[in-house]
Amino acid sequence: MLRERRYPSDLTDAQWALIEPLLPAPNTGGRPEKHPRRDVVDAILYVVRTGCAWRQLPFDFPPWQTVYWYFVRWEEAKVTEQMLAILRRRVRTAQGRAEEPTAGIIDSQSVKGADTVGRDSRGYDAGKKVNGRKRFIVTDTLGLLLVVCVMAASVQDRDGAKTTLLSMYLMTPVRYVFADAGFAGTLVDWTQRVLRTVLHIVRKAPGQIGFAVIERRWVVERSLAWLTSHRRLARDYERHPATAEAMIRWAAISGMARRLTRRHAATRQQARTLNRQLDRL
């Protein structure tokens, strides 16, 4: 029996109709699954969105051990990578784009690591003054996630980008990537020589003072902001980097599902609140 939908992170019926066919078929010949898969997915998204620990899942979800078991098994089967690719194609098609992108944008983000982050996979980013991990992501020009790699924050951008760009090369047809000046230098030649991919450095305008939106780069920076609006991603709590990558993919999957089922343009919550306040004046 399905639980009552009561949390903002729960999938709507339309979103579940997108997600359900992308999950692996249940094993046949064994004991039937006790808990509805929709409840399991809602529980995973609740953890990602609210940032709570697995053991602190509300009691109206399946037991946390069951939810975590599915989370691990689906990652072993690369389910989130497959879901991400399929939903991304659908979003691009709905936006009038080709199913597969040809250009991407790469960036990194350093986040503090909780005490649950192992010493062997954390480090200190002297530039950002952050002790924790660094996330490297590549998005398409719509800001949709292509690949993500999580490493110690001490890893230099040029070094971490090699692993990330190699993953992108193996998983997508993208062969032209925009990046900021932190990825300049020998990485540009390495990308061209090894991956046959153009790494185009987008620099600030000469004489720029203060903040300014920089062409192309703002797209991936917006995507990082979308991801960190999920409290589980506001800092890194995961023991293993692969688990952190899975959390990021689930956040991206949730965003794409909302984007596909939204019937009107998105409105920022802050703007709606301000409009209500102005209406009272």
Side-chain angles (χ1 to χ4, degrees), residues 97-151:
R97 303 293 186 93
E99 282 193 348
E100 295 293 349
T102 56
I105 310 108
I106 187 173
D107 203 358
S108 67
Q109 178 189 53
S110 295
V111 292
K112 292 182 179 180
D115 56 359
T116 50
V117 175
R119 185 178 299 178
D120 60 336
S121 63
R122 70 187 299 154
Y124 184 72
D125 183 342
K128 301 292 180 63
K129 295 180 173 56
V130 170
N131 186 330
R133 289 200 177 123
K134 184 177 288 188
R135 301 162 179 162
F136 292 85
I137 69 168
V138 181
T139 71
D140 67 3
T141 53
L142 292 177
L144 306 176
L145 185 66
L146 297 176
V147 295
V148 55
C149 292
V150 176
M151 308 173 193

Side-chain angles (χ1 to χ4, degrees), residues 13-25:
D13 292 341
Q15 291 166 2
W16 176 239
L18 291 172
I19 298 297
E20 183 181 20
L22 307 182
L23 297 174

Side-chain angles (χ1 to χ4, degrees), residues 79-210:
V79 171
T80 55
E81 293 181 10
Q82 298 165 13
M83 292 169 63
L84 195 67
I86 293 172
L87 292 177
R88 185 177 62 246
R89 294 188 194 106
R90 293 179 181 177
V91 173
R92 289 182 58 84
T93 301
Q95 294 287 324
R97 303 293 186 93
E99 282 193 348
E100 295 293 349
T102 56
I105 310 108
I106 187 173
D107 203 358
S108 67
Q109 178 189 53
S110 295
V111 292
K112 292 182 179 180
D115 56 359
T116 50
V117 175
R119 185 178 299 178
D120 60 336
S121 63
R122 70 187 299 154
Y124 184 72
D125 183 342
K128 301 292 180 63
K129 295 180 173 56
V130 170
N131 186 330
R133 289 200 177 123
K134 184 177 288 188
R135 301 162 179 162
F136 292 85
I137 69 168
V138 181
T139 71
D140 67 3
T141 53
L142 292 177
L144 306 176
L145 185 66
L146 297 176
V147 295
V148 55
C149 292
V150 176
M151 308 173 193
S154 54
V155 175
Q156 296 295 316
D157 281 355
R158 296 181 185 90
D159 298 327
K162 290 183 178 180
T163 300
T164 309
L165 290 170
L166 179 59
S167 298
M168 180 205 71
Y169 177 84
L170 296 174
M171 297 173 63
T172 74
V174 171
R175 298 296 179 264
Y176 196 101
V177 181
F178 298 95
D180 63 28
F183 298 92
T186 58
L187 178 64
V188 176
D189 296 332
W190 179 90
T191 305
Q192 179 64 56
R193 185 180 70 257
V194 177
L195 303 181
R196 298 292 187 266
T197 298
V198 175
L199 186 64
H200 179 76
I201 305 301
V202 182
R203 301 183 184 275
K204 295 180 180 179
Q208 176 183 323
I209 299 176

Side-chain angles (χ1 to χ4, degrees), residues 234-271:
R235 63 188 305 180
D236 201 314
Y237 296 92
E238 315 311 327
R239 177 69 64 184
H240 304 291
T243 308
E245 293 169 2
M247 290 289 184
I248 292 171
R249 284 192 292 269
W250 274 111
I253 288 167
S254 173
M256 290 183 194
R258 290 197 304 272
R259 195 163 176 169
L260 284 167
T261 56
R262 197 166 53 209
R263 297 183 179 179
H264 52 79
T267 304
R268 291 179 61 87
Q269 183 175 0
Q270 182 179 3

